[in-house]
Amino acid sequence: MADQVDMEPGARIGSLTYVKGLGELLIEENGRLGNLNWVTGLPKSSTAFFKEQPDRRPALVIRSNAAITHRHLIDCTDLVEIGAYATFAGWGSQILTHAIDFAANRQSALPVRIGAYAFVGTRCVFLKGAYLPERSILAAGSVLSTHETQTDSLYSGVRATWIKRLDTGLAYFQRHLGFVQ
């Protein structure tokens, strides 16, 4: 599991979800970690890797009313944060917080963050350091490898790029209940 687990009222972890190697698992009020997810990290106590990154935080944080649905692979070698009311939807998406730094010939890790009210379509891939801004959508099958900054936007493609600005009045961005019925 994790060294520290904090689940606020209404938080849920689904059946057959596997969690290993995290320093921290936090699921805020009404947050959801769905069924059949595979969540792993490398504990800070491991001395074989990431010596150059003492501030690395192997954690999964799911903010209030956010959801990770079913059958995803999530690497929490460094922090993965899912913003309030965000939905990591569909199935078969991946988050990878670490990779080989070829110039230095060693592993390196960076956090991955998904902003509040963001939506991630099915079969997406997030690479280390990626950030999907609040009230944004990442289209199905996209690969996000950069820290994006344009909120209220649609991103799509391999490598995901900005496609267009979204209407800030969309009901999804205004809702007060977390999980979309």
Side-chain angles (χ1 to χ4, degrees), residues 110-146:
L110 289 170
V112 169
R113 290 183 168 91
I114 297 169
Y117 288 94
F119 180 88
V120 178
T122 196
R123 294 268 185 207
C124 289
V125 176
F126 285 76
L127 300 178
K128 71 176 190 169
Y131 173 66
L132 181 63
E134 62 186 45
R135 298 179 315 277
S136 292
I137 296 172
L138 184 63
S142 296
V143 176
L144 188 63
S145 61
T146 54

Side-chain angles (χ1 to χ4, degrees), residues 37 39-41 48 59 99 108 126 159 168:
N37 289 296
V39 181
T40 61
S108 67
F126 285 76
R159 163 177 97 83
T168 58

Side-chain angles (χ1 to χ4, degrees), residues 7-163:
M7 294 179 64
E8 294 182 359
R12 296 173 54 188
I13 297 176
S15 300
L16 302 173
T17 286
Y18 177 79
V19 178
K20 178 184 177 191
L22 303 186
E24 177 187 2
L25 173 61
L26 169 61
I27 306 176
E28 291 182 349
E29 186 175 8
N30 298 319
R32 294 183 183 201
L33 177 57
N35 301 329
L36 293 163
N37 289 296
W38 189 269
V39 181
T40 61
L42 184 67
K44 287 188 79 163
S45 61
S46 174
T47 58
F49 302 98
F50 306 103
K51 295 175 197 165
E52 296 80 14
Q53 294 184 272
D55 295 332
R56 178 180 64 87
R57 181 181 170 199
L60 174 60
V61 175
I62 300 173
R63 297 290 178 200
S64 66
N65 296 287
I68 296 174
T69 60
H70 310 297
R71 297 180 183 247
H72 301 292
L73 302 175
I74 302 171
D75 158 42
C76 297
T77 298
D78 206 335
L79 172 67
V80 171
E81 182 175 11
I82 311 298
Y85 293 92
T87 308
F88 196 79
W91 61 277
S93 290
Q94 299 178 42
I95 296 175
L96 302 166
T97 61
H98 79 285
I100 294 174
D101 177 340
F102 291 100
N105 191 34
R106 65 175 175 244
Q107 297 278 341
S108 67
L110 289 170
V112 169
R113 290 183 168 91
I114 297 169
Y117 288 94
F119 180 88
V120 178
T122 196
R123 294 268 185 207
C124 289
V125 176
F126 285 76
L127 300 178
K128 71 176 190 169
Y131 173 66
L132 181 63
E134 62 186 45
R135 298 179 315 277
S136 292
I137 296 172
L138 184 63
S142 296
V143 176
L144 188 63
S145 61
T146 54
H147 181 103
E148 296 298 334
T149 58
Q150 184 68 42
T151 62
D152 307 296
S153 294
L154 173 64
Y155 294 90
S156 182
V158 179
R159 163 177 97 83
T161 57
W162 183 89
I163 301 298

